[in-house]
Amino acid sequence: MRWLLARTIFHVRLTTVIYVAVILGAGSVAAQSYHIRPGDILRIEVLEDPELNRSVLVTPDGRISVPMAGTMRISGQPVEVVQRGLAARLSASFANPPNVFVSVERLAERRPDMRQPTAPKLISVFVMGEANKPGHFEIPENTNVLQAFAAMGGFTKFAAIKRVQLRRAAKIVPLNYQQIEAGSAAAQMTLQDGDVIVVPQRRLFE
């Protein structure tokens, strides 16, 4: 009976050891799959010295500070690697290498992205003469000539569309709308802040 009882106890203990090993192995794989980030809170436990047990915050620069181990940069490392590194640092303070356990107590909170889409820069363009919508326009930077014609609603029936002018400071650039509509390179000319588009009136037999 004693032999049978001893054998039963042995099997129970063996089963327990195997179960614990499986659990610890699964925990190790899970730990390796996660890399520590700034803002995480880690739980550190040292079996040989409970006074070293503590929760530590990973600082914004990716470091932790532990008594007798100093400051360590750990951001981006798996938990298992941090655990080994911490044990190595603490070894100098113990007769035998200490048993150190590191776990993630709380993950860093992910802050919502507060960045807002940047509004396009606007430029001022002025339209005079026989345009359907003359006046002052605030249009996005890099608007081209053809897009500007669309913004001003095209031309009136009295417009001399072959003699449109783009006035930029002292410079006058002729714009033939018929050629632009047919695919002239002038269609892609981008406007600049302060440009003035002048649409003259058509002559009698023009």
Side-chain angles (χ1 to χ4, degrees):
M1 290 297 292
R2 290 182 180 178
W3 175 84
L4 181 60
L5 179 60
R7 186 178 179 181
T8 302
I9 294 173
F10 171 77
H11 281 294
V12 169
R13 288 181 176 177
L14 180 61
T15 303
T16 302
V17 169
I18 293 174
Y19 176 75
V20 171
V22 170
I23 295 299
L24 290 177
S28 176
V29 171
Q32 287 184 345
S33 66
Y34 177 76
H35 290 69
I36 294 170
R37 298 185 294 120
D40 287 345
I41 295 179
L42 305 183
R43 180 64 185 174
I44 298 173
E45 296 184 355
V46 182
L47 192 61
E48 288 76 10
D49 189 353
E51 290 187 2
L52 292 175
N53 296 350
R54 65 196 59 238
S55 298
V56 296
L57 172 69
V58 183
T59 59
D61 63 353
R63 301 173 186 268
I64 59 170
S65 294
V66 179
M68 300 170 61
T71 300
M72 302 171 55
R73 180 182 290 277
I74 64 169
S75 181
Q77 297 180 8
V79 173
E80 187 181 45
V81 173
V82 175
Q83 184 171 284
R84 289 200 302 264
L86 190 56
R89 288 201 176 201
L90 290 172
S91 292
S93 302
F94 293 86
N96 296 307
N99 292 286
V100 178
F101 301 95
V102 177
S103 60
V104 180
E105 186 174 278
R106 191 170 68 200
L107 296 176
E109 294 182 3
R110 292 187 177 274
R111 296 182 178 181
D113 190 355
M114 302 302 293
R115 292 175 296 180
Q116 299 294 330
T118 303
K121 182 180 179 181
L122 299 179
I123 59 174
S124 293
V125 172
F126 302 86
V127 178
M128 301 173 57
E130 298 300 322
N132 279 324
K133 293 192 292 184
H136 169 238
F137 292 86
E138 294 283 340
I139 60 176
E141 194 176 31
N142 296 322
T143 296
N144 61 38
V145 167
L146 194 57
Q147 291 169 333
F149 287 163
M152 68 188 197
F155 308 95
T156 70
K157 62 181 180 180
F158 303 107
I161 58 175
K162 296 182 181 180
R163 294 190 292 110
V164 179
Q165 296 178 353
L166 171 62
R167 298 191 179 186
R168 180 173 294 166
K171 183 178 180 181
I172 298 178
V173 180
L175 300 174
N176 186 325
Y177 176 70
Q178 286 186 341
Q179 293 178 356
I180 289 174
E181 192 178 29
S184 168
Q188 301 306 317
M189 180 187 301
T190 56
L191 300 180
Q192 297 180 9
D193 190 54
D195 280 351
V196 179
I197 296 175
V198 179
V199 185
Q201 190 174 25
R202 191 176 57 191
R203 299 190 184 100
L204 183 60
F205 297 104
E206 189 174 5

